[in-house]
Amino acid sequence: MNVLSTRDYIALEDGYIAHNYKPLDVVITRAEGARVWDTEGRKYLDCLSAHSALNQGHCHPRIVRVMVEQAQRLALTSQAFRNDQLPLLAEELCELTGYEMVLPMNSGTEAVETALKAVRRWGYTVKGVPDGQAEIIACDGNFHGRTITVITFSPEEQCRDGFGPFTSGFKLIPYADAEALERAITPNTVAFLFEPIQGEGGVVVPPKGYIRDVREICTEHNVLMVADEIQTGLGRTGKLLACEHEGVRSDVVTLGKALSGGMYPVSAVLASREVLGVLGPVDHDSILSGSPLACAVAREALQVIVDENLCQRAAELGDYFITRLQAIESPYVALCRGKGLLVGIVLKPQAGGARRFCEALKERGVLTKETHGNIIRLTPPLIVTKEELDWALERIEDVLCG
Ligand code: PLP
């Protein structure tokens, strides 16, 4: 039994933890599937899924079972020794995605950092870029994480304020503008890093053909196409990888979040042998990455995506959800956009920001979170049912039209 009240938990958190985030004031103590419960027993539908980390739903019983069994048998060896889970995860992940090699990491940001190191090394050793001159192009509106190198190319001044000096060698271009990419490329460009749909940036879906154009331009100029699919990958948009919507394979892809079903920090960089083969001993590692525990959890999390047809579910339920959301007539809504179950409702300036709508939804049992001040992001677990979405839709309509 909980002896602390919601207010007590919040006071403890605010007192002891760096104020690096502004959560909604709901204290969750238990979860199952798409549902979570707060410390006072109130039940909610989770329409955020930890920013797409819970594609398989909360506490998926298969992943929990494997995690407990593996934790009891062998959790960590470090990379000083081999283990019997890492090779199997690597094989299964490569077979599922069609890539040749994988390098597992922990957080999504680390996967991005890893990809940046690999493409720079590739630029010097394979492409022949003069030492120290490698350039990487990224996009306005991007979100790739929070480390110093990654925020170097964050377009948000607030994210960079007070954290300089930064890393050199990055260039920003407008998102969804293939001509801008072509213009920005120089002989020293080694890679183009982009999100197939910008998630944190507000669920920005590029026009059809953009990803194919990027592929062609990168191939033509011998520039590596790096798709950050940490949010869009693993079924979220209705395909295993969002680049598949345009029949395209990037040279490098980063995955994270749902790679463990939200049970453990597991991320990965996938690429060809030519790219990941440039890394040798001591070039890059992290003690907990590729641990038997992480790999066993990720193997089961991937198998759940396949066995439960989560890509198809996301495609079908996403079409339904977006169509129903677009039909809501609200004085506050500018537009609703997305792909699969990665959805954003963009509010008009007179709506007074998205936060108050997220607060009102929370009061009605629907959990979600604003992004960029004026966008309500909706990313329920892919195991959500149509009935649960209908239940949420009633409340969303109520809040947007009330
Ligand atoms: N890249 C993308 C596209 C993301 O959406 C995120 C997280 O939201 C990250 C990278 C960073 O991942 P993590 O928070 O696991 O470090």
Side-chain angles (χ1 to χ4, degrees):
M1 215 187 60
N2 288 302
V3 285
L4 299 183
S5 70
T6 299
R7 219 182 299 164
D8 294 333
Y9 285 110
I10 293 171
L12 278 177
E13 186 170 321
D14 287 351
Y16 284 110
I17 297 180
H19 296 181
N20 64 328
Y21 210 86
K22 194 163 171 264
L24 287 187
D25 285 337
V26 53
V27 181
I28 298 168
T29 186
R30 175 164 84 81
E32 188 183 323
R35 297 283 177 173
V36 303
W37 286 260
D38 71 13
T39 44
E40 289 168 25
R42 278 185 296 257
K43 183 175 167 182
Y44 303 85
L45 182 68
D46 183 355
C47 280
L48 186 65
S49 323
H51 304 246
S52 302
L54 293 157
N55 287 1
Q56 300 88 337
H58 287 269
C59 304
H60 194 291
R62 279 178 52 185
I63 308 175
V64 171
R65 185 176 43 75
V66 166
M67 186 169 189
V68 170
E69 281 174 10
Q70 186 65 42
Q72 287 169 336
R73 190 165 62 244
L74 176 70
L76 183 63
T77 55
S78 88
Q79 309 205 346
F81 312 116
R82 298 179 190 270
N83 72 69
D84 65 357
Q85 292 300 309
L86 175 59
L88 302 183
L89 171 65
E91 181 186 41
E92 288 159 14
L93 196 48
C94 286
E95 279 184 358
L96 194 61
T97 57
Y99 285 89
E100 285 178 340
M101 281 186 117
V102 57
L103 182 47
M105 279 288 130
N106 308 287
S107 70
T109 316
E110 272 182 291
V112 173
E113 287 266 356
T114 308
L116 296 176
K117 283 176 75 174
V119 299
R120 279 186 170 180
R121 174 66 70 78
W122 172 89
Y124 297 126
T125 59
V126 179
K127 182 166 175 171
V129 171
D131 202 26
Q133 302 294 309
E135 292 168 4
I136 294 171
I137 301 171
C139 292
D140 273 335
N142 76 69
F143 184 82
H144 298 287
R146 297 277 192 214
T147 56
I148 285 182
T149 290
V150 172
I151 61 167
T152 293
F153 50 90
S154 169
E156 278 185 81
E157 257 326 299
Q158 201 198 334
C159 299
R160 296 158 44 88
D161 186 26
F163 300 124
F166 297 104
T167 315
S168 54
F170 297 95
K171 212 186 254 183
L172 279 186
I173 60 167
Y175 184 61
D177 186 341
E179 284 173 14
L181 172 61
E182 187 138 40
R183 279 197 303 275
I185 289 174
T186 74
N188 292 339
T189 306
V190 296
F192 174 55
L193 169 68
F194 81 114
E195 297 152 89
I197 294 173
Q198 290 186 328
E200 301 302 304
V203 191
V204 182
V205 185
K208 213 163 170 224
Y210 172 64
I211 297 176
R212 216 169 323 122
D213 290 347
V214 167
R215 175 67 280 172
E216 276 171 23
I217 293 166
C218 287
T219 304
E220 192 185 327
H221 296 274
N222 195 23
V223 164
L224 295 175
M225 173 181 179
V226 184
D228 181 350
E229 298 238 21
I230 287 163
Q231 182 142 179
T232 53
L234 303 174
R236 174 54 57 187
T237 71
K239 298 272 187 197
L240 189 68
L241 299 176
C243 285
E244 289 171 23
H245 286 290
E246 299 203 7
V248 160
R249 184 120 71 88
S250 61
D251 297 300
V252 181
V253 65
T254 52
L255 295 176
K257 295 189 173 178
L259 188 50
S260 70
M263 300 291 288
Y264 199 81
V266 187
S267 64
V269 180
L270 289 149
S272 64
R273 205 167 296 284
E274 178 183 297
V275 176
L276 276 182
V278 300
L279 296 176
V282 308
D283 280 341
H284 197 69
D285 64 62
S286 161
I287 293 297
L288 281 128
S289 68
S291 76
L293 183 55
C295 293
V297 167
R299 290 180 63 205
E300 194 66 10
L302 281 175
Q303 203 51 51
V304 166
I305 292 172
V306 174
D307 293 347
E308 298 189 8
N309 286 320
L310 294 188
C311 300
Q312 201 185 329
R313 266 188 89 80
E316 288 168 9
L317 288 173
D319 279 350
Y320 173 74
F321 194 42
I322 293 172
T323 307
R324 288 281 313 270
L325 286 168
Q326 285 171 338
I328 294 175
E329 285 179 21
S330 160
Y332 303 121
V333 175
L335 69 130
C336 171
R337 63 193 178 201
K339 210 167 191 66
L341 283 170
L342 178 56
V343 183
I345 301 173
V346 184
L347 300 177
K348 293 179 181 166
Q350 67 261 34
R355 179 81 179 194
R356 72 181 182 96
F357 293 95
C358 295
E359 303 270 6
L361 282 168
K362 183 198 82 172
E363 293 307 314
R364 287 163 178 76
V366 177
L367 292 184
T368 185
K369 185 76 174 65
E370 78 277 7
T371 182
H372 278 255
N374 69 325
I375 298 165
I376 305 171
R377 191 212 326 238
L378 293 162
T379 51
L382 310 185
I383 48 94
V384 74
T385 62
K386 182 167 168 293
E387 291 67 35
E388 285 171 326
L389 288 179
D390 285 335
W391 185 88
L393 279 160
E394 260 179 50
R395 279 141 191 89
I396 294 166
E397 180 156 18
D398 186 30
V399 161
L400 289 174
C401 300

